[in-house]
Amino acid sequence: KVQHLKVEHAEMAKNWDWPCQHNDGIVKVHNDKDKFQVTLDVPFFTPKEVRVQMIKDELVIKCDHDERNDQHGRVQRSIMRAYHLPDDVDKSTLKSELSARGHLHITANKKKNGQPS
């Protein structure tokens, strides 16, 4: 028989945005006149388990891995986050890079005078 437990939320949950966030600031969106950048902390995923896609005007980040055993039992993770891209982002310049520390950096240049660079 499965027993369901009620989940209580702490006050800080209002600021929660990304499930791999460690309250260390590694969920950042930077948007200025020259570039658009998103940085996310995804240390539990390998590069093959991270997908970055453009779907219409949204930047979509999906991370998932199948169930695996760890020191505590079993774990399976699947998360998704989408960001609406500002109109002045040059989509052809989008790049993503996953650092050795598990930080996913996604960057794009801004259009020059309303035109792609």
Side-chain angles (χ1 to χ4, degrees):
K1 181 180 176 180
V2 175
Q3 178 184 359
H4 294 276
L5 302 174
K6 182 179 178 183
V7 177
E8 300 289 337
H9 293 279
E11 184 65 28
M12 66 184 263
K14 292 178 183 176
N15 297 325
W16 187 83
D17 179 35
W18 185 252
C20 295
Q21 185 174 343
H22 299 288
N23 294 321
D24 58 3
I26 309 298
V27 175
K28 298 178 184 172
V29 178
H30 179 81
N31 185 28
D32 65 22
K33 65 180 183 67
D34 297 315
K35 73 177 180 177
F36 175 82
Q37 180 175 341
V38 174
T39 303
L40 301 167
D41 192 16
V42 293
F44 303 109
F45 299 95
T46 67
K48 291 181 180 180
E49 297 169 335
V50 176
R51 287 180 290 156
V52 179
Q53 303 171 300
M54 275 300 304
I55 301 175
K56 297 184 181 179
D57 289 331
E58 283 191 324
L59 175 67
V60 179
I61 300 113
K62 295 180 181 179
C63 305
D64 58 76
H65 66 69
D66 293 331
E67 186 175 288
R68 58 178 82 147
N69 294 324
D70 69 7
Q71 71 272 21
H72 304 291
R74 295 177 293 152
V75 63
Q76 182 276 328
R77 294 180 179 95
S78 181
I79 54 178
M80 186 281 291
R81 180 68 166 102
Y83 294 92
H84 177 75
L85 284 183
D87 293 336
D88 61 347
V89 170
D90 182 355
K91 295 174 192 165
S92 68
T93 65
L94 275 166
K95 296 178 185 175
S96 67
E97 178 183 329
L98 183 60
S99 76
R101 299 185 120 201
H103 298 166
L104 178 63
H105 304 279
I106 304 165
T107 59
N109 295 330
K110 293 295 185 88
K111 297 174 184 175
K112 304 287 185 202
N113 298 323
Q115 300 297 320
S117 51

